[in-house]
Amino acid sequence: MPNRRVSKSEFKAKASEFFRLVESSGESLIVTDLGQPTLELRPYQTDARDPLDLLRGSLLRYDNPMDPAGEDDWAAAW
């Protein structure tokens, strides 16, 4: 069912069937209105990444991590 397209009227008549189909296959479904794509129905995916993975690579360089933070350092952060 890759990129399967259905009209809005067909989707309305068989919505629960299409929900089950998308859920079981994992493929998306395009709903059209007058032949133009208007909606995409796809399985929900959580962003279950480790929070540290989101931060990885965000610190570019920190030369002296053991030095105390000075007044200017705090002012620059805000």
Side-chain angles (χ1 to χ4, degrees), residues 10-37:
E10 183 182 1
F11 180 78
K12 183 178 177 183
K14 302 177 183 178
S16 60
E17 180 181 330
F18 288 125
F19 286 140
R20 284 191 295 274
L21 187 62
V22 168
E23 185 178 29
S24 65
S25 71
E27 299 289 331
S28 63
L29 176 74
I30 306 296
V31 181
T32 62
D33 186 19
L34 301 174
Q36 297 298 314

Side-chain angles (χ1 to χ4, degrees), residues 3-17:
N3 294 326
R4 180 173 176 180
R5 292 175 178 239
V6 296
S7 67
K8 191 186 325 184
S9 59
E10 183 182 1
F11 180 78
K12 183 178 177 183
K14 302 177 183 178
S16 60
E17 180 181 330

